[in-house]
Amino acid sequence: MRIQDIMTKDPSCVTAEASVREAAQVMKSEDVGIVPVVEAHSERRLVGVVTDRDIAIRCIAEGKDGTCRVRDVMSTDDIATCRENDNVDNVMDAMRTEKVRRIPIVDERGSLVGIVSQADVLRKTRDTNRAGETVEQISEPGGRHTR
């Protein structure tokens, strides 16, 4: 099974220049906790992600308000991505290794084309044992993003 078969296509995104409030509004309207950050809406080249946790820790906890920019709170370091033609095993491996619940999907130019969540993996994959193991391993402490 290919990633394109399980991914959410054309997810909502923001630019780094957007306000944190705009990103939070996308999260609210889409009922998600992560929003991909793109260089420009026209080409959608992925430059990072912003999570509800990023907003809470890097904006609100530091006394900033919703007018601060996404660029000031987003995660940009070595964002794990996969390609839409990759096998679903690749996205499960990336989730396990990175200890993340969502992986942006990019094309050959690095432009955002989709996103895969652990729920997508559980609901849509044929290998339910491996999908369950992936979710279990994602939930274990550790990973680069816990530092």
Side-chain angles (χ1 to χ4, degrees):
M1 180 176 272
R2 300 278 170 223
I3 289 173
Q4 65 192 4
D5 300 325
I6 69 165
M7 73 181 191
T8 298
K9 293 174 174 56
D10 300 317
S12 295
C13 56
V14 295
T15 66
E17 296 304 312
S19 70
V20 167
R21 179 173 288 115
E22 291 172 79
Q25 288 169 338
V26 169
M27 290 177 188
K28 180 180 178 182
S29 68
E30 300 289 327
D31 193 25
V32 296
I34 187 173
V35 178
V37 181
V38 296
E39 190 172 278
H41 287 290
S42 58
E43 67 177 56
R44 294 173 62 99
R45 191 175 72 76
L46 186 71
V47 295
V49 296
V50 62
T51 66
D52 46 7
R53 188 171 197 286
D54 291 331
I55 293 170
I57 302 299
R58 297 180 184 153
C59 181
I60 305 305
E62 293 185 7
K64 300 174 186 171
D65 64 20
T67 62
C68 66
R69 298 287 155 213
V70 168
R71 72 173 172 268
D72 297 327
V73 300
M74 70 185 201
S75 299
T76 59
D77 295 336
D78 298 322
I79 301 298
T81 62
C82 289
R83 299 276 179 92
E84 60 189 328
N85 289 324
D86 288 348
N87 190 291
V88 170
D89 290 341
N90 293 46
V91 80
M92 287 192 282
D93 290 343
M95 287 177 168
R96 251 193 323 275
T97 301
E98 299 297 322
K99 307 277 188 215
V100 295
R101 291 172 166 79
R102 294 162 201 89
I103 300 283
I105 309 304
V106 296
D107 64 15
E108 64 281 347
R109 296 169 296 156
S111 295
L112 179 70
V113 295
I115 195 162
V116 173
S117 70
Q118 71 179 10
D120 295 326
V121 170
L122 282 171
R123 285 193 314 256
K124 300 174 185 174
T125 189
R126 293 183 194 122
D127 189 348
T128 54
N129 288 337
R130 184 137 194 264
E133 289 172 10
T134 297
V135 172
E136 184 178 325
Q137 291 172 351
I138 289 169
S139 302
E140 292 175 357
R144 182 166 30 124
H145 299 287
T146 58
R147 292 182 209 135

